Amino acid sequence: MLNETIVEHDLYLFHQGNLRYSYQLLGAHPHEENGEEGYRFAVWAPNAEQVSVVGDFNNWDGTSHRLKKLNENGIWYGFIPEITEGTVYKYEILTPHGHLRLKADPYGFSSELRPNTASVTYPLNQYSWNDEQWMDRRKNINIYESPISIYELHLGSWKNIETEVYYNYREYADMVIPYVKELGYSHIELLPITEHPFDRSWGYQTTGYFAATSRYGTPDDFRYFVDQCHQNGIGVILDWVPAHFCKDEHGLRRFDGEALYEYQDPIKAEKPQWGTLTFDFGRNEVQSFLISNAIYWLKEFHLDGLRVDAVASMLYLDFGKEDGQWELNEYGGRENLEAVAFIKKLNEAIFEEVPNILMMAEESTSWPQVSSPTYLGGLGFNYKWNMGWMNDMLKYIEMDPIHRKHYHHLITFSFFYAFSENFILPISHDEVVHGKKSLLNKMPGDYWQKFANLRAFLAYMYAHPGKKLLMMGTEFGQFDEWKDLEDLDWELLDYEAHASALDYVKQLHQLYNDMPALWELDHDEQGFFWIDPNNYEQSIVSFARNSRNDGDQLIIVCNFTPEVYHGYKVGVPKEGHYKEIFNSDATHFGGSGQTNGLALETVNEPWQGQDQHVAMTIPPLAVSFLKRTCSPKEENE
């Protein structure tokens, strides 16, 4: 007979892969039984001969608190009255081969501070939220037609006390949120904060999928961080890793003595590139585990989205593998059909349970319809990272300007597919680490030119269709690449060029947030048209961005060489006066001051396919934003 707290229908759904809240069934939960308060434990271990809960409370003696097997599918259950919040525990599992294994709880809500590896009992529902206004607003906002600019953040290396000694989530809230809010970002994206044993994996090799890492405090400390972000108008996105998990002995690997969370076939299970194991996406209980985990972070922590890591490694059987390390699927292809089906099922569940959030795929191939709904044949995400744009632009911007004319296509090609997906334009941690250099230090030229190139690149990025993401440190021109064991080089802000770079990013965000043309039609071809994509000789491009309001139109002119041009003709669609509302070469940004201070009056002569044109100064290594202010008739009125 099942215990009253374990509902038979939930067990059925779990084993069918359809229990979306399996964390309420499994794991350790406060419970009262026969008038005694304690914790109930439930764990899935179908191959185990015996399962016990062990910890300091019973001197790690596996004979003291053995669990009972509830069904033939391997759910083990037990109630321990003396357990209280903060109790350290593991499962002692007797495998079919007669070995004893000590495992952390796959559904553990908290963990010991590394290098210790046990789970810690922690109640789910004791935090009092104060973000009702944000959550109500989120229900109704159109995220596709809103400004989204994301600050990618690794807490431990944003600022720390000393190497591998960190502040608390609450202290980070007090430091990070005013800074991000002042800069004008809409969201923070956290590198994985799920529990992980090795600092230098940055959280991408996880052991505790339901535990916010104890490096920075308790789960409720993390809830406070999210709560404070919301109260200050900042969304929070979590980098989430369902593609693979690490092999540490206390983790999911061969959890009950057999392959359970990973594929039984080692060819499918092994990810040799990373030394990790692939989840068995075809196993129902693993589907319940992963889908519940995504919902857990979105529901229990009020997160506003997930950035799903390494989607390509899920989709393709041969990802990161040599010949002989993978096998064709049943149809002779290289697609992981089970992973494809799982991803669709995941996204369908997410948007049914938590509407209007961000599900962003880090997908680096040309897989079609990543951000299309599943009912249209898509994978069901609502955003995809534009890795093609990122690779092309970084290759282009690292070149000496004298060579850029030979690679002009790199700054124009992305517009051919800009509306094929809902794109995020990312400059992420992966691009500023492992010898790739910081974004500023990728730039060619002398000290001045490096900063000018940085300003031009960022202005072009914010003018390009698609939402935005920048790795921390980019905003003030970090010279060194990201150092994951040290904090950012905040002392650079004592230098004028870096302080000006920070102010530039702030002003660029203000422009971005204030101008609907830069985001309202990001995913609609009506939001963009070329004026001149072909001037490769001078490495100049010009285009327009539109909103639903015709009066919001912006003309953007980008010059990727250090040459200055006076009287340069730019086609514009309407007669009138055009004002330069932003110029990345302005002196207060550290530029040379080649700006267009006076309104530019149109000349009634067709140019570059437009009915009118203006003659303007083109600043060096810079981007100009023009906005029509009035027509001659309107001015006279």
Side-chain angles (χ1 to χ4, degrees):
M1 179 178 178
L2 295 179
N3 184 280
E4 62 181 8
T5 63
I6 304 294
V7 179
E8 190 164 3
H9 184 61
D10 286 347
L11 293 175
Y12 171 80
L13 291 175
F14 175 72
H15 295 304
Q16 291 296 310
N18 295 319
L19 187 59
R20 296 175 176 179
Y21 294 84
S22 61
Y23 62 87
Q24 296 175 353
L25 170 73
L26 297 166
H29 296 268
H31 182 59
E32 182 179 322
E33 199 166 295
N34 298 324
E36 291 187 286
E37 293 186 353
Y39 269 73
R40 65 169 174 85
F41 294 83
V43 63
W44 176 55
N47 299 298
E49 296 293 329
Q50 180 60 57
V51 179
S52 302
V53 182
V54 296
D56 291 337
F57 63 93
N58 63 9
N59 295 315
W60 300 89
D61 179 5
T63 66
S64 299
H65 296 94
R66 289 180 174 172
L67 303 182
K68 295 179 180 179
K69 194 173 185 180
L70 286 182
N71 61 15
E72 69 279 4
N73 291 317
I75 300 291
W76 298 78
Y77 170 86
F79 171 70
I80 306 177
E82 60 261 43
I83 298 291
T84 58
E85 178 185 338
T87 298
V88 172
Y89 73 97
K90 281 187 176 181
Y91 293 116
E92 182 186 270
I93 297 174
L94 179 62
T95 74
H97 313 291
H99 303 131
L100 287 177
R101 292 178 178 239
L102 285 177
K103 291 288 190 177
D105 189 345
Y107 286 84
F109 302 133
S110 184
S111 298
E112 286 188 292
L113 179 62
R114 52 92 177 95
N116 295 327
T117 57
S119 301
V120 179
T121 56
Y122 202 90
L124 273 181
N125 301 315
Q126 65 181 5
Y127 183 82
S128 297
W129 289 91
N130 294 289
D131 63 347
E132 296 85 358
Q133 186 174 357
W134 171 273
M135 298 298 282
D136 287 341
R137 174 179 169 271
R138 196 181 75 180
K139 294 175 184 176
N140 301 311
I141 195 170
N142 184 336
I143 57 176
Y144 306 104
E145 296 186 5
S146 299
I148 295 179
S149 54
I150 303 167
Y151 186 70
E152 190 183 36
L153 174 64
H154 178 256
L155 283 174
S157 57
W158 189 80
K159 191 172 287 187
N160 57 41
I161 299 170
E162 57 184 81
T163 301
E164 298 181 320
V165 180
Y166 307 115
Y167 293 99
N168 183 276
Y169 290 112
R170 294 172 185 264
E171 294 173 306
Y172 279 120
D174 294 340
M175 293 185 288
V176 170
I177 293 171
Y179 179 79
V180 172
K181 184 177 181 179
E182 176 71 13
L183 286 174
Y185 285 94
S186 65
H187 291 74
I188 287 170
E189 181 181 312
L190 294 165
L191 268 64
I193 54 90
T194 44
E195 193 59 81
H196 50 284
F198 182 44
D199 285 9
R200 305 208 71 183
S201 79
W202 315 329
Y204 289 99
Q205 296 195 11
T206 291
T207 50
Y209 272 81
F210 287 84
T213 178
S214 55
R215 286 167 176 80
Y216 314 124
T218 69
D220 281 355
D221 291 335
F222 180 53
R223 287 182 174 93
Y224 175 88
F225 179 92
V226 177
D227 198 357
Q228 291 298 308
C229 283
H230 286 174
Q231 291 180 53
N232 283 276
I234 299 169
V236 183
I237 300 161
L238 179 64
D239 210 338
W240 186 59
V241 191
H244 62 129
F245 58 89
C246 60
K247 296 181 178 181
D248 291 61
E249 184 61 30
H250 68 283
L252 298 178
R253 177 178 176 268
R254 301 188 70 84
F255 183 77
D256 59 2
E258 301 291 344
L260 192 63
Y261 288 89
E262 69 271 36
Y263 283 109
Q264 293 187 15
D265 180 357
I267 290 179
K268 291 183 75 171
E270 291 288 340
K271 274 192 163 45
Q273 184 180 31
W274 297 323
T276 56
L277 294 169
T278 304
F279 279 104
D280 183 347
F281 300 112
R283 188 157 195 169
N284 291 339
E285 294 86 353
V286 173
Q287 294 174 18
S288 288
F289 174 82
L290 288 173
I291 292 172
S292 294
N293 186 244
I295 291 172
Y296 168 80
W297 289 109
L298 295 169
K299 284 277 197 177
E300 303 296 335
F301 291 83
H302 290 199
L303 294 180
D304 303 286
L306 300 174
R307 178 265 196 185
V308 182
D309 179 64
V311 171
S313 79
M314 301 168 69
L315 294 173
Y316 295 100
L317 295 165
D318 62 339
F319 182 91
K321 295 186 176 184
E322 305 291 338
D323 290 344
Q325 294 180 329
W326 66 283
E327 296 176 349
L328 297 170
N329 65 33
E330 59 188 283
Y331 300 110
R334 60 193 186 97
E335 301 83 10
N336 186 335
L337 302 176
E338 296 155 355
V340 175
F342 164 74
I343 289 170
K344 293 180 178 181
K345 183 176 181 178
L346 165 73
N347 284 320
E348 288 171 357
I350 291 295
F351 288 111
E352 286 177 12
E353 298 293 336
V354 199
N356 228 28
I357 53 86
L358 297 165
M359 284 294 288
M360 308 186 306
E362 188 229 5
E363 204 287 309
S364 55
T365 74
S366 57
W367 189 284
Q369 294 185 278
V370 172
S371 58
S372 293
T374 57
Y375 62 80
L376 294 178
L379 289 181
F381 295 97
N382 57 359
Y383 276 97
K384 174 183 175 175
W385 275 24
N386 193 337
M387 312 292 278
W389 170 87
M390 178 198 73
N391 289 324
D392 284 351
M393 279 308 299
L394 291 181
K395 181 178 179 181
Y396 180 84
I397 207 68
E398 288 187 67
M399 294 178 187
D400 188 303
I402 198 171
H403 300 305
R404 288 175 178 168
K405 66 180 180 180
H406 303 297
Y407 296 90
H408 192 71
H409 65 282
L410 292 176
I411 57 172
T412 60
F413 180 68
S414 60
F415 292 95
F416 285 103
Y417 61 87
F419 308 104
S420 63
E421 301 274 6
N422 300 330
F423 280 122
I424 303 279
L425 306 184
I427 299 297
S428 75
H429 65 280
D430 278 331
E431 309 316 312
V432 295
V433 73
H434 295 326
K436 295 181 181 179
K437 298 185 290 190
S438 70
L439 186 59
L440 176 65
N441 216 11
K442 292 177 192 289
M443 303 300 173
D446 58 24
Y447 187 79
W448 185 90
Q449 288 179 336
K450 282 183 178 293
F451 279 95
N453 271 297
L454 177 68
R455 292 191 300 270
F457 174 85
L458 293 177
Y460 166 87
M461 175 182 179
Y462 276 69
H464 192 292
K467 310 308 183 186
K468 325 300 176 188
L469 179 143
L470 284 173
M471 175 60 172
M472 64 180 195
T474 305
E475 71 275 10
F476 60 80
Q478 174 111 355
F479 253 117
D480 288 346
E481 67 178 18
W482 176 42
K483 299 164 288 189
D484 57 301
L485 294 181
E486 303 175 31
D487 54 13
L488 297 180
D489 294 333
W490 296 107
E491 64 276 7
L492 290 176
L493 289 172
D494 293 335
Y495 296 88
E496 183 178 359
H498 296 275
S500 295
L502 186 70
D503 183 61
Y504 175 76
V505 170
K506 176 183 175 181
Q507 298 302 320
L508 183 61
H509 274 126
Q510 184 172 330
L511 172 76
Y512 175 69
N513 291 326
D514 288 346
M515 295 293 159
L518 295 178
W519 40 262
E520 191 173 53
L521 298 178
D522 263 333
H523 316 304
D524 188 328
E525 291 183 0
Q526 300 303 311
F528 166 88
F529 66 85
W530 278 116
I531 293 174
D532 182 17
N534 300 316
N535 187 357
Y536 66 90
E537 283 288 353
Q538 294 170 300
S539 298
I540 296 174
V541 294
S542 52
F543 53 88
R545 293 298 311 275
N546 298 324
S547 75
R548 298 197 183 282
N549 182 349
D550 190 49
D552 292 335
Q553 185 181 77
L554 296 178
I555 307 299
I556 294 100
V557 185
C558 311
N559 176 16
F560 291 104
T561 74
E563 299 298 320
V564 180
Y565 301 96
H566 298 287
Y568 187 94
K569 294 198 291 187
V570 176
V572 294
K574 294 183 178 181
E575 68 169 337
H577 293 162
Y578 283 77
K579 180 182 179 182
E580 185 177 73
I581 61 171
F582 191 89
N583 185 326
S584 68
D585 191 49
T587 54
H588 57 273
F589 297 142
S592 65
Q594 297 293 326
T595 60
N596 295 271
L598 300 176
L600 304 170
E601 187 170 349
T602 57
V603 177
N604 187 18
E605 175 186 275
W607 191 256
Q608 296 172 335
Q610 306 302 314
D611 292 336
Q612 310 281 324
H613 72 265
V614 295
M616 63 178 294
T617 295
I618 301 292
L621 294 172
V623 176
S624 298
F625 291 72
L626 308 180
K627 189 174 189 297
R628 181 177 175 272
T629 56
C630 63
S631 68
K633 179 181 178 182
E634 291 167 337
E635 184 179 40
N636 292 332
E637 292 176 350

